[in-house]
Amino acid sequence: MVASSPFPSCFGEYAMQVAEMSSGNRTTHNLIACIYCTKLCSCYHVITISWCKNQTGQGFSVAVDNPSAAASPSLPKVGLKPWVSWKKQGKKAMEVDGKRVQIFWDMTAAKYSSGGPEPQESFYLAIVFHGQILMLLGDKKKEAYDATQAKPLLKEPILLSRREHIFGKKYYNTKAQFCESGRSHDIVIECHSGGAREPRLCVRVDRRIVVHVKRLMWKFRGNQTILVDGLEVELFWDVHNWLFNPDLGNAVFMFQTYFPSSHLKSCNYGEQESFPVQVFKGRDFEKLSGFSLLLHAWRIE
């Protein structure tokens, strides 16, 4: 991420505590990290699932944190090396607040889209605590219950944030679901920064232009409010590296969705209780809960 980026912290310090998978070699940057909130050990915890892919293989890691704790302890992380070293199906145990948590997975038949690191179908990843499934990803749910012998999921975890690396020359594509009850949207980022034409930036959601920035040499950082599914989404961009340091780094985009309390029920967020929410000063309401999509856009020459 660009060091000088003006983007606000999405969900506190614990939100981006994901092991940095990148280095100077851009081929190692294929990483997707999803941050969820769920109930664990009688309190709310943040679970980070990171999917990665590099030249030697692909794998994932699981990290659990307790943002409500007075002193945030260093909790263990389940990290899997590339598939050449690990089985595509297995289980692993970890200790959280002195309690045993088990993680089960089956990626033997997993299918991926466009060579990305995150499986799309024919897989499962389950987190079990005290005989109860806390999180279940994937479409092989029956196989997951057979393997874990655990009680069904009581409440779906809340997806707080998604961090993704995308690649392209002029067009950068991804998908995002901004509300639990909403549909998945196609996002296309288009940037013209070379040739005789004046640099400009265009962002589309489902082919509809939501942001069009001209005079990009002067407006390489900024933000704008857009509407998706009837909800306000704040879009931040930082394309400084694309314009002035093309060989050094990537551009950064963040879509931050704000959910006032009146929207929480319609989005299936359930009771607010003690879910970690970010307080944004200067707005009409004090506490907002929402979803954040953070994109690292890398230019392929």
Side-chain angles (χ1 to χ4, degrees):
M1 185 173 179
V2 180
S4 59
S5 174
F7 298 166
S9 174
C10 301
F11 300 100
E13 295 181 358
Y14 58 87
M16 297 310 296
Q17 289 178 357
V18 181
E20 191 62 52
M21 307 295 291
S22 61
S23 65
N25 186 350
R26 295 185 183 184
T27 60
T28 65
H29 284 161
N30 211 338
L31 167 71
I32 293 177
C34 297
I35 301 173
Y36 302 85
C37 181
T38 188
K39 198 170 186 179
L40 179 65
C41 303
S42 300
C43 61
Y44 289 101
H45 281 70
V46 171
I47 297 178
T48 302
I49 310 293
S50 300
W51 307 93
C52 62
K53 181 179 181 179
N54 55 32
Q55 292 175 319
T56 59
Q58 58 193 119
F60 67 90
S61 66
V62 178
V64 183
D65 194 12
N66 179 9
S68 62
S72 181
S74 177
L75 298 175
K77 178 181 292 187
V78 178
L80 301 185
K81 296 180 180 180
W83 297 138
V84 294
S85 302
W86 286 82
K87 295 181 180 180
K88 294 185 179 181
Q89 180 180 12
K91 62 180 180 179
K92 195 174 183 70
M94 61 191 296
E95 296 291 325
V96 177
D97 293 346
K99 305 294 184 179
R100 190 166 184 255
V101 177
Q102 292 178 296
I103 300 173
F104 298 79
W105 69 92
D106 184 357
M107 309 289 172
T108 54
K111 297 180 181 180
Y112 303 80
S113 63
S114 303
E118 183 182 29
Q120 300 298 312
E121 56 179 296
S122 302
F123 80 101
Y124 71 77
L125 171 62
I127 300 178
V128 177
F129 169 70
H130 200 56
Q132 175 75 58
I133 288 187
L134 294 173
M135 175 176 289
L136 178 56
L137 302 179
D139 54 351
K140 297 177 65 174
K141 299 186 184 300
K142 182 180 183 300
E143 292 84 348
Y145 284 116
D146 291 341
T148 61
Q149 295 294 302
K151 298 177 182 178
L153 189 70
L154 291 177
K155 188 175 183 180
E156 290 289 341
I158 297 174
L159 178 59
L160 298 179
S161 178
R162 179 180 174 88
R163 179 186 183 190
E164 183 177 349
H165 292 258
I166 55 178
F167 305 84
K169 292 184 178 180
K170 185 169 63 175
Y171 298 95
Y172 304 81
N173 304 272
T174 189
K175 290 180 176 290
Q177 183 177 343
F178 294 97
C179 179
E180 288 290 321
S181 61
R183 64 184 179 88
S184 178
H185 296 277
D186 293 314
I187 298 175
V188 178
I189 298 170
E190 178 183 355
C191 184
H192 299 269
S193 59
R197 304 181 68 177
E198 180 183 355
R200 68 185 189 277
L201 175 69
C202 183
V203 180
R204 291 180 174 89
V205 176
D206 297 331
R207 298 184 180 181
R208 178 175 63 93
I209 296 178
V210 294
V211 170
H212 190 194
V213 183
K214 299 179 180 179
R215 301 183 64 190
L216 195 59
M217 297 294 288
W218 298 95
K219 301 177 182 179
F220 53 84
R221 293 191 185 106
N223 64 286
Q224 183 172 323
T225 301
I226 64 176
L227 287 178
V228 182
D229 294 331
L231 299 173
E232 285 190 3
V233 179
E234 195 76 13
L235 170 58
F236 299 83
W237 67 86
D238 184 339
V239 298
H240 179 274
N241 284 344
W242 277 356
L243 299 174
F244 304 108
N245 298 304
D247 297 328
L248 298 181
N250 60 300
V252 184
F253 299 85
M254 187 174 77
F255 296 77
Q256 174 67 59
T257 302
Y258 302 116
F259 294 140
S261 58
S262 60
H263 288 289
L264 291 177
K265 185 176 181 180
S266 64
C267 291
N268 291 329
Y269 269 57
E271 299 177 4
Q272 296 183 58
E273 298 186 51
S274 300
F275 287 133
V277 293
Q278 175 70 29
V279 178
F280 288 88
K281 298 180 180 180
R283 290 190 170 264
D284 295 334
F285 27 86
E286 294 182 355
K287 289 187 178 181
L288 291 167
S289 180
F291 164 74
S292 174
L293 172 65
L294 182 62
L295 300 175
H296 298 259
W298 296 89
R299 177 167 292 165
I300 301 175
E301 301 299 336

